[in-house]
Amino acid sequence: MGVEDGFFDLGGHSLLATRLVSRVRSVLGVELPIRALFENPTVAALDRVLDEAARARTALVPVPRPETVPLSFGQRRLWFLERFEGAGGNVSLAVRLSGALDAQALRLALGDVVARHEALRTVFPDDDGIPHQRVLDFWVPGLGIVDVTESGIESAVQDFGSLPVDLAVDPPLRARVLRLGERDHVLLVVLHHIAADGWSLAPLARDLSAAYTARAAGGVPEWEPLPVQFADYTLWQREVLGDETEPESPIARQLSYWYEALAELPDEIELPADRPRPQLPGYRGGSVEFGFDAALHGELTALAKEANVSLFMVLQAGLAALLTRLGAGTDIPLGTPVAGRTDEALDDLIGFFVNTLVLRTDTSGDPTFRELLDRVRDTDLAAYAHQDVPFERLVEVLNPPRSLARHPLFQVMLALQNTPDGTLRLPGLDVTPLPPAPADAKFDLGIELVERQDGAGGPGGIQGLAHYSADRFDHGTVQALMDRFGRWLASAVAAPDTRIGAFDVLSTDERDTVLHRWNATDHALPAGTLPDLFEAQAARTPDATAVVAATGQELDYAELNRRANRLARLLIEYGARPETLVAVAVPRSVEWLVALLAVSKAGAGYLPVDPGQPAQRIAHVLGDAGPVLVLTSGDDPRVPAGEAYRTLPIAEGERLCAGYDATDPTDAERGAALRPEHPAYVIYTSGSTGLPKGVLITHASIGNLAAVHIDRLGIDADSRVLQAVSTTFDPSVADTVMALLAGAALVLADPERHVVGDQLAEAISTHGVTHLQLAAPVLATIPEAGLDTLRCVVTGGEACSAELVARWARGGRKVVNAYGPTEMTVATTMTEPLTGDTTPPIGRAVWNTRVYVLDGALGLVAPGVAGELYVSGVGLARGYVGRAGLTGSRFVADPYGPAGSRMYRTGDVVRLLADGQVEFVGRADDQVKIRGFRVEPGEVSAVVAGCAGVAQAAVVV
Ligand code: AMP
Ligand code: MG
């Protein structure tokens, strides 16, 4: 190579860099930080910085052994783990040997390897709990040969691997041959972790191959003695790193580096997992094989060169950025193993050198991928420069909040193996590795990558294995995640100057699924305003019971229609017409229902007011909405007389119009054609302003509202639908239209007597109610025993528990969870009938409705990832009465819908499940629900009082 050739251009990577630094140290006697190599990757450039480099640290050479040799920093932790938890762990070689095996040669060869590596004949006795290394001068491992059958291999391997050891007396290596036949064997070599790491398998295989080859030929292996032994390393490590308790020692300085680098690290990151973390770990795991093709491998390598980072750094940046986009936040700690062989004298040594580094990856501020690579380079080089502190010691020092169920400091591991793996080469034998036994899942996710070379030594693809914790992940989810990782890297290398927030996380197919397939809700419905639809129903079933009051009073459809028609004509005289509002401040009763319909027939929008609410709130609603008329129950002092509107007691109104024409009013009478875009109702609700605001729903939304409920809940002419939620709460409109547009009977709960629990149970049984919808916490108060007529229960308004569902679903009753903000006409999503086996989702978009789960930049998030729910479709409100600004900020352009369409930002955090159902996660803001009512901080008293009888319980909340 020439003096101007770049180290990384020629295929250098972090591990080789470490070796180069070590070579520079031993040949030139100077200490070159790895960072200097990254910054000066050519010989010419390096030459200039070498002069300034510090004098090399003490060379690693064989040293006279003191009385007792202590354990290395890393060994100490393993010793503790083994001693107190029996969990020090193993590294093993398990290979199938076909051909003529020379067992005697193998036995001798094992002895040769053990003779060569002191670590393999070291035991760890302790004095008063302080262990030291005792190297046995001579020890030859036994090599038992046992007969097994093919089906017995797996358990034989497992049993041999899990034999208990006493480190004080047992050398850390054991070996066994399983004999399957004359020319068919399995060789097992199990090394305790305290004597070997994964990198040790290469020298083990190399040395064992050489020794067997020599022994099989009747000779002895001829090899150069190892430059140093593990005990030399241990003593050198002590000398170079010093004592942690001395603040100026290198090891103490390294510790303080980590202390700062990992300050305020998140306890854990949010992963796109299938399940939340259990209290106790199951340790069950699985693994997924995946790969990146040679083309992508080549592009990744090229970007690494161009950006002056290692391939690992590109992969790390890619993974961190992807996790960020998958909802993990912007502070992403990733674990990675480092070989720990920081001196070239250690290259061929079997021993425990490996360490784990926490690479804290800062993805905040939406950097471009290239900027992120710069950050990663900085972080990683600093981490490599402080890699001597054993991870376990770091955990002790940092002492993060512990949980048995998660790995401390990081939950995702990323490793790029650059070392050639240890392949045994034994003359006369075909050697094939056994598939690795399923390992305990230590991390939520552990991603191991291995570079392959093509014929010419160029990038030949990257092979991957992702281990996952089965506590949290399903196989398919991890598979999809790794596919996503590959696609993500491909887009990153194609456009490294793009901000990480701007890349697509979804595949074209996924995008199609979440956008279109799961939103394929188009469903043709008969057009018509509420009066149109109701009048058609009254004409179809004039004699059917339309309404049953708590008092027992009943009206049929014809009579209800006539009464509403007469009152409508009076309301028109009072100024009701399209685009006006008429408030109905009448408690739930037959009169209330007549008033609701009459307002609609007059062409006005219905504005419910609960006379049970505090005067202040009523005054706000009436002042804000500006109705032309308020229908009252009479002399209610809480409904103030206003300057801008008139008031009319409902009884007086009905008296005044007793002689009026009872046929359906016409557009001509209304003074203007009533069209679908005219207001059908205005409901006041809370959220984001501190003051209740009026949500204006048009007639265009009503037909869908009714049809969805009628279809999903199975309402027919025999149904009896209870109306029990407050009339100021939009499900009351749903109750009304789903009954009255299906020819069913609407049963009116008494607003004073039928509010919670037993009272509601009584209303249900007295009136033979078949359908009921209530906010989850209210439903929870009702004893369900004996309510045999009740066929269907809809819960919603708040998250409901599996227990609640299970209780009501008993005996096969249909239980549906419905979700919807007032701004989207009551129901946006609904589930299929639930059983309560698992936490209920909120279901799928109802007819003519689209749901999107989006990130902060209105990009689609992947299924499984939490994002904010945006909704759009026929139920979308026109907006907030008199609040153009607020309307504009919550009802925004729908980038995924037809041109000009809008969507509503719900403020709900949800995720899409694999089957397309939506799962409710929580709120993005401070809004809470009390008994189904939206409440903002500061507003509690007003709304609570508004819940009438429910108030007592709610005040406690
Ligand atoms: P409202 O406009 O009063 O219907 O309130 C709508 C809000 O109630 C939603 O934005 C959610 O926060 C919450 N909500 C409604 N239905 C559900 C449900 N089934 N599960 C969880 N939260 C719900
Ligand atoms: Mg709702």
Side-chain angles (χ1 to χ4, degrees):
M1 64 182 275
V3 293
E4 297 293 350
D5 286 342
F7 175 75
F8 298 99
D9 297 341
L10 294 170
H13 49 67
S14 313
L15 200 76
L16 283 175
T18 305
R19 296 179 62 183
L20 178 59
V21 164
S22 156
R23 181 101 188 120
V24 168
R25 181 190 302 133
S26 52
V27 176
L28 302 176
V30 290
E31 197 65 41
L32 184 69
I34 293 187
R35 180 186 296 275
L37 183 57
F38 272 85
E39 286 162 2
N40 307 279
T42 66
V43 174
L46 265 186
D47 181 48
R48 288 191 285 277
V49 297
L50 280 180
D51 292 342
E52 297 143 35
R55 253 205 35 238
R57 54 197 201 188
T58 319
L60 174 49
V61 291
V63 288
R65 303 290 165 81
E67 184 101 358
T68 55
V69 179
L71 273 56
S72 75
F73 290 122
Q75 278 183 324
R76 272 199 305 208
R77 177 71 189 164
L78 285 174
W79 184 85
F80 268 101
L81 278 176
E82 185 60 56
R83 174 80 171 251
F84 297 109
E85 294 171 31
N90 290 326
V91 177
S92 57
L93 179 77
V95 288
R96 186 103 178 214
L97 307 174
S98 354
L101 174 68
D102 183 341
Q104 185 56 18
L106 185 56
R107 200 170 275 130
L108 291 169
L110 272 172
D112 293 333
V113 174
V114 169
R116 177 167 167 79
H117 294 271
E118 284 184 5
L120 301 180
R121 47 189 163 90
T122 300
V123 292
F124 302 87
D126 69 284
D127 293 325
D128 291 335
I130 301 188
H132 59 270
Q133 305 192 46
R134 193 154 81 82
V135 180
L136 306 177
D137 289 335
F138 180 76
W139 175 73
V140 179
L143 182 66
I145 299 181
V146 295
D147 287 318
V148 297
T149 56
E150 188 73 42
S151 59
I153 297 180
E154 206 179 304
S155 63
V157 172
Q158 213 177 347
D159 292 349
F160 190 60
S162 52
L163 289 178
V165 289
D166 178 357
L167 291 175
V169 293
D170 300 329
L173 177 146
R174 58 182 184 272
R176 173 167 291 179
V177 168
L178 309 178
R179 188 170 60 190
L180 290 123
E182 194 58 29
R183 296 170 59 81
D184 192 4
H185 299 86
V186 168
L187 169 64
L188 300 176
V189 181
V190 175
L191 305 163
H192 194 278
H193 229 320
I194 203 163
D197 53 21
W199 271 270
S200 301
L201 290 175
L204 173 71
R206 226 164 27 233
D207 290 350
L208 191 56
S209 303
Y212 180 86
T213 308
R215 292 293 186 174
V220 290
E222 285 169 19
W223 44 35
E224 288 283 306
L226 291 166
V228 291
Q229 292 286 352
F230 194 82
D232 300 314
Y233 161 75
T234 310
L235 295 164
W236 170 81
Q237 185 189 46
R238 297 259 155 174
E239 165 148 12
V240 168
L241 296 180
D243 187 340
E244 202 186 288
T245 58
E246 286 164 18
E248 284 312 306
S249 67
I251 192 74
R253 284 207 302 268
Q254 287 201 19
L255 261 176
S256 65
Y257 162 80
W258 285 110
Y259 210 85
E260 212 165 286
L262 301 184
E264 284 162 60
L265 191 72
D267 294 340
E268 67 175 278
I269 57 172
E270 185 78 31
L271 293 172
D274 295 292
R275 287 169 291 281
R277 192 178 301 287
Q279 293 281 312
L280 287 174
Y283 291 119
R284 261 184 338 104
S287 54
V288 166
E289 285 179 35
F290 64 99
F292 307 145
D293 62 20
L296 178 55
H297 186 191
E299 283 160 358
L300 290 164
T301 312
L303 177 61
K305 277 183 197 167
E306 182 193 315
N308 195 19
V309 295
S310 65
L311 174 63
F312 174 80
M313 292 173 186
V314 179
L315 296 165
Q316 178 196 342
L319 180 60
L322 175 61
L323 291 177
T324 293
R325 287 292 305 277
L326 296 181
T330 56
D331 188 357
I332 314 275
L334 297 171
T336 198
V338 285
R341 295 170 187 252
T342 49
D343 195 286
E344 61 172 343
L346 303 174
D347 286 356
D348 297 325
L349 208 55
I350 294 173
F352 179 72
F353 301 101
V354 70
N355 194 12
T356 302
L357 296 184
V358 186
L359 304 176
R360 184 179 193 175
T361 317
D362 171 15
T363 60
S364 65
D366 200 13
T368 66
F369 193 65
R370 205 186 287 281
E371 285 162 0
L372 185 59
L373 289 176
D374 288 338
R375 290 186 198 176
V376 166
R377 185 200 306 111
D378 267 358
T379 312
D380 290 8
L381 291 179
Y384 298 150
H386 299 89
Q387 62 170 282
D388 298 300
V389 180
F391 176 77
E392 289 76 11
R393 181 66 192 131
L394 193 59
V395 173
E396 282 170 5
V397 172
L398 296 178
N399 194 22
R402 296 301 181 88
S403 153
L404 283 175
R406 68 165 178 247
H407 193 271
L409 301 183
F410 66 88
Q411 292 82 41
V412 179
M413 168 75 114
L414 177 68
L416 177 64
Q417 291 268 27
N418 301 97
T419 42
D421 47 9
T423 314
L424 272 183
R425 286 193 184 75
L426 308 180
L429 288 165
D430 268 348
V431 183
T432 32
L434 292 193
D440 280 358
K442 281 192 285 180
F443 316 109
D444 288 354
L445 211 52
I447 302 173
E448 283 173 28
L449 301 165
V450 184
E451 279 190 87
R452 295 283 174 235
Q453 294 189 337
D454 64 13
I462 296 177
Q463 214 174 0
L465 192 62
H467 302 277
Y468 60 86
S469 156
D471 285 346
R472 306 216 53 205
F473 287 100
D474 292 334
H475 194 270
T477 306
V478 177
Q479 185 106 55
L481 184 60
M482 292 305 110
D483 289 348
R484 202 182 298 292
F485 187 25
R487 285 197 309 273
W488 176 261
L489 286 171
S491 17
V493 293
D497 294 306
T498 306
R499 295 188 177 281
I500 60 171
F503 291 108
D504 272 338
V505 270
L506 298 183
S507 69
T508 323
D509 191 51
E510 279 178 320
R511 196 182 156 84
D512 189 54
T513 300
V514 300
L515 265 188
H516 305 299
R517 232 169 308 157
W518 288 346
N519 279 328
T521 57
D522 282 1
H523 188 88
L525 289 173
T529 60
L530 175 55
D532 294 337
L533 296 168
F534 176 70
E535 285 157 12
Q537 184 62 48
R540 276 194 299 275
T541 56
D543 303 328
T545 304
V547 56
V548 180
T551 54
Q553 183 197 359
E554 295 188 5
L555 295 186
D556 62 25
Y557 275 80
E559 178 60 15
L560 176 61
N561 194 36
R562 283 195 296 271
R563 265 176 78 172
N565 287 343
R566 285 193 290 262
L567 183 60
R569 291 200 163 83
L570 183 73
L571 298 183
I572 292 170
E573 289 171 20
Y574 273 79
R577 63 192 69 260
E579 290 300 333
T580 67
L581 299 177
V582 173
V584 178
V586 177
R588 185 185 307 114
S589 57
V590 168
E591 291 69 34
W592 160 79
L593 182 61
V594 168
L596 182 159
L597 290 169
V599 170
S600 209
K601 284 166 173 280
Y606 159 69
L607 172 67
V609 170
D610 181 350
Q613 288 184 334
Q616 206 189 346
R617 180 176 170 114
I618 295 175
H620 166 70
V621 167
L622 294 178
D624 191 66
V628 292
L629 174 68
V630 181
L631 292 170
T632 69
S633 57
D635 49 358
D636 199 314
R638 277 167 304 191
V639 179
E643 309 241 304
Y645 54 81
R646 296 158 77 184
T647 56
L648 175 64
I650 181 74
E652 192 186 329
E654 288 219 72
R655 197 159 26 81
L656 288 173
C657 67
Y660 282 23
D661 179 3
T663 60
D664 299 334
T666 61
D667 277 346
E669 287 173 275
R670 286 190 276 260
L674 180 59
R675 288 190 308 263
E677 62 271 25
H678 286 138
Y681 65 83
V682 170
I683 293 237
Y684 271 73
T685 186
S686 297
S688 66
T689 58
L691 271 181
K693 67 233 187 226
V695 178
L696 193 160
I697 300 295
T698 67
H699 283 277
S701 306
I702 300 292
N704 200 58
L705 169 68
V708 162
H709 282 79
I710 291 167
D711 175 68
R712 300 294 285 272
L713 313 184
I715 294 169
D716 57 25
D718 297 329
S719 301
R720 294 168 81 85
V721 177
L722 185 67
Q723 207 292 281
V725 303
S726 164
T727 54
T728 57
F729 193 22
D730 71 345
S732 65
V733 179
D735 290 337
T736 304
V737 298
M738 71 173 132
L740 296 188
L741 302 185
L746 186 66
V747 176
L748 303 179
D750 185 297
E752 303 293 329
R753 279 195 304 122
H754 300 144
V755 181
V756 282
D758 293 332
Q759 305 169 329
L760 282 170
E762 186 210 305
I764 295 164
S765 53
T766 308
H767 297 292
V769 167
T770 59
H771 292 74
L772 161 70
Q773 71 174 329
L774 283 173
V778 181
L779 187 62
T781 64
I782 306 178
E784 84 286 1
L787 301 181
D788 300 330
T789 58
L790 194 58
R791 296 201 303 265
C792 173
V793 169
V794 183
T795 172
E798 281 174 61
C800 70
S801 66
E803 291 72 40
L804 181 65
V805 169
R807 174 158 78 84
W808 284 96
R810 225 177 283 150
R813 187 183 285 121
K814 181 189 275 192
V815 178
V816 170
N817 188 16
Y819 160 90
T822 304
E823 289 83 345
M824 194 60 193
T825 317
V826 190
T828 304
T829 65
M830 272 191 201
T831 62
E832 297 298 317
L834 298 166
T835 55
D837 296 340
T838 53
T839 308
I842 58 174
R844 294 186 181 78
V846 298
W847 283 340
N848 302 307
T849 298
R850 296 187 301 276
V851 299
Y852 311 119
V853 186
L854 305 182
D855 62 22
L858 301 189
L860 297 164
V861 304
V865 175
E868 193 170 338
L869 181 64
Y870 286 74
V871 298
S872 129
V874 71
L876 201 64
R878 197 205 271 180
Y880 298 117
V881 174
R883 283 194 175 62
L886 184 64
T887 301
S889 72
R890 301 296 296 200
F891 295 83
V892 296
D894 174 0
Y896 304 106
S901 57
R902 298 176 309 149
M903 61 184 181
Y904 170 65
R905 174 181 191 178
T906 65
D908 291 312
V909 179
V910 301
R911 64 169 67 94
L912 284 169
L913 302 177
D915 65 359
Q917 295 206 71
V918 182
E919 183 180 71
F920 181 78
V921 177
R923 284 291 301 177
D925 57 19
D926 291 343
Q927 179 183 302
V928 293
K929 281 281 186 112
I930 295 181
R931 301 248 153 175
F933 283 83
R934 277 155 65 169
V935 179
E936 270 186 275
E939 203 196 349
V940 174
S941 59
V943 179
V944 165
C947 301
V950 182
Q952 288 173 342
V955 169
V956 177
V957 171

